Amino acid sequence: MSLMELRRVWGTRPLIGAAVGVLLQDESGRVLLQRRGDDGLWSEPGGALEPGEDFLTGARRELLEETGLTCPTLRLLPLPGGLQSGPELYHRYPHGDELYIVGMRAHGTLPAEALNGAQPDDSGETLELRWFALDDLPMLSNNANRQSMSLLRSWAGLPPLPLHPTPPPPPPGNFLLDLRKVIGHRPWFAPGANVLVTDEAGRILLLRCGHTGRWTLPGGNLEPGESFAETAARELLEETGLTAARLDPLEMFAGPEYRFTSPNGDVVDYVSVLYRAHSVTGTLTPQPGEVLEVGWFGVDELPDDADLSGALIQANLRYWKKLRSQPNS
C-alpha cells in the first residue's frame, strides 16, 4: 500500500513518516537547498523511505530524484545529531495531511560547480536548486529543515534557528494497532527503540515476549509525536518497571535485513534506535501479558538465535557483544 492509497482511507490524521534528509555542502560551507513544489519554500533534499529501504540508500535515491546529483562522500551522520524525531517535527502539508517526521540525516560535500549538472526529475517536487550561506538562509519549509540547518550552523559556530510552534501530539494510544486495521498485514515501517540494561555483573536483561514466546530487549514502537528517546524510556518503564537516569543512543538499525513477520502475519520494517541505559533504578516488574519472564544473561549465556525475536534483536545483541569487547565499555 502506498502512502497515497493509505491517505484515502486514513484521511489527514497524523502519520509517522520514516524519512531521510540530505545535507550537502560545497567547498565554502554553503548548503544546497531545493525550493519545494508543494509550498514554494526551501528545504534540504530528502523524503520518505520506501519499504525495505535503509537510510543511506534512501538518501542517495532522494538526492538523485530531486536534484539529478550523486555524492560519493554521502554518509549518515552519527547519533545523536543524525537522528530526527520528536513533537517539534510535526508538519502539516498544504492539502491538510499531517505527519510526524522521524529518521536520519545524511551529509556529504560537492564542489559548487556540481550544481551546473543538476537535473531534477519531472515530478514537480523541486522548483529550484541553490547554494546558500548558513548565515543567509531563505524561508524554510518546516522544523525538520530548521533543525538540520541548526546542526550545520553549530559546526560553523552560529546560533540555532528558532523552531515554529507545533500543536500538542495526539493522546497516547496504540498507533500501529490502529494503522493495522487499515493496512492489514502489508509491510509498513515501525519506528521504535530498544534498550540495553546490564547489571553489576555485566549481564544483559532480556524479556520473553508474550506475543512471540521469544527473547527480546525492552523496547517498542513510537507513538505520533514521540522521540526515539521518549519511546525508549516509556517502554523500559512499562515492560520492566525500571527507570534510567540517562539513555545514550548507540546505533540506528534499519533496512531490508530487519523486516519481521509477526505470528499473526503482520509484516514490519523496523527502524529502531538502540539505547544504553545508565544508573537504572526501580524494582524489576514484568508487564503482565506482554512479558512472560525475564532473565539476566552473560555474553556466553545468550539464547540461540532461533530463540530470539528476529534479526533486529540478534543484531542488537551482536552490537552489545562488540561493545563489551571495547576498552572502557
Side-chain angles (χ1 to χ4, degrees):
M1 174 178 281
S2 69
L3 185 58
M4 185 176 298
E5 290 170 332
L6 175 59
R7 281 296 185 186
R8 293 193 187 107
V9 290
W10 186 260
T12 62
R13 289 179 293 163
L15 286 170
I16 300 174
V20 62
V22 181
L23 310 182
L24 287 187
Q25 291 183 278
D26 69 4
E27 58 270 33
S28 64
R30 295 181 302 174
V31 62
L32 181 65
L33 298 179
Q34 62 173 141
R35 190 161 65 86
R36 300 169 57 96
D38 56 2
D39 60 14
L41 302 178
W42 294 84
S43 71
E44 75 257 33
L49 295 188
E50 295 182 351
E53 196 172 47
D54 64 71
F55 281 104
L56 188 56
T57 300
R60 290 168 175 155
R61 175 184 52 77
E62 288 286 344
L63 179 63
L64 184 62
E65 290 174 358
E66 296 181 352
T67 71
L69 300 173
T70 60
C71 177
T73 65
L74 194 64
R75 298 290 184 272
L76 294 179
L77 287 172
L79 280 55
L83 284 179
Q84 302 186 91
S85 66
E88 64 275 9
L89 296 192
Y90 166 89
H91 183 60
R92 186 177 187 273
Y93 290 90
H95 46 59
D97 291 349
E98 297 177 85
L99 186 73
Y100 284 96
I101 297 169
V102 303
M104 293 285 288
R105 299 180 180 94
H107 180 269
T109 55
L110 283 175
E113 63 183 18
L115 194 54
N116 297 333
Q119 189 174 0
D121 65 18
D122 58 2
S123 66
E125 289 188 56
T126 303
L127 302 180
E128 183 182 356
L129 292 164
R130 196 186 305 176
W131 295 107
F132 287 92
L134 292 171
D135 59 358
D136 189 23
L137 293 168
M139 185 71 72
L140 298 171
S141 178
N142 56 54
N143 279 346
N145 309 136
R146 294 182 186 88
Q147 278 196 351
S148 293
M149 295 305 104
S150 290
L151 179 63
L152 295 183
R153 284 166 61 91
S154 71
W155 298 351
L158 297 170
L161 300 175
L163 298 180
H164 285 180
T166 55
N174 195 322
F175 170 75
L176 197 56
L177 182 62
D178 292 340
L179 193 62
R180 283 294 175 191
K181 295 174 183 176
V182 174
I183 68 173
H185 300 309
R186 295 177 180 88
W188 200 260
F189 289 105
N194 289 327
V195 185
L196 298 178
V197 180
T198 53
D199 65 7
E200 293 180 355
R203 300 176 302 172
I204 193 167
L205 176 65
L206 296 181
L207 318 176
R208 189 182 288 277
C209 176
H211 299 292
T212 66
R214 297 179 179 179
W215 292 98
T216 187
L217 290 166
N221 301 316
L222 266 75
E223 290 291 320
E226 211 172 31
S227 69
F228 286 108
E230 288 169 338
T231 298
R234 174 179 56 78
E235 290 286 348
L236 178 62
L237 180 61
E238 289 177 359
E239 294 184 341
T240 70
L242 302 176
T243 301
R246 190 176 88 245
L247 288 166
D248 290 342
L250 300 175
E251 187 78 9
M252 168 69 84
F253 294 83
E257 63 269 39
Y258 304 119
R259 175 167 286 187
F260 178 76
T261 302
S262 67
N264 70 355
D266 292 347
V267 181
V268 174
D269 284 338
Y270 281 121
V271 175
S272 180
V273 179
L274 181 63
Y275 284 85
R276 185 172 189 175
H278 296 270
S279 303
V280 175
T281 57
T283 301
L284 181 56
T285 308
Q287 184 179 12
E290 294 288 326
V291 179
L292 300 180
E293 63 176 309
V294 300
W296 296 95
F297 295 84
V299 69
D300 297 321
E301 304 167 338
L302 293 171
D304 294 336
D305 280 356
D307 291 325
L308 297 174
S309 189
L312 174 64
I313 301 303
Q314 294 168 18
N316 285 172
L317 292 178
R318 286 195 299 270
Y319 188 97
W320 172 64
K321 288 192 285 187
K322 180 181 177 182
L323 193 67
R324 277 179 51 90
S325 67
Q326 297 172 356
N328 303 318
S329 62

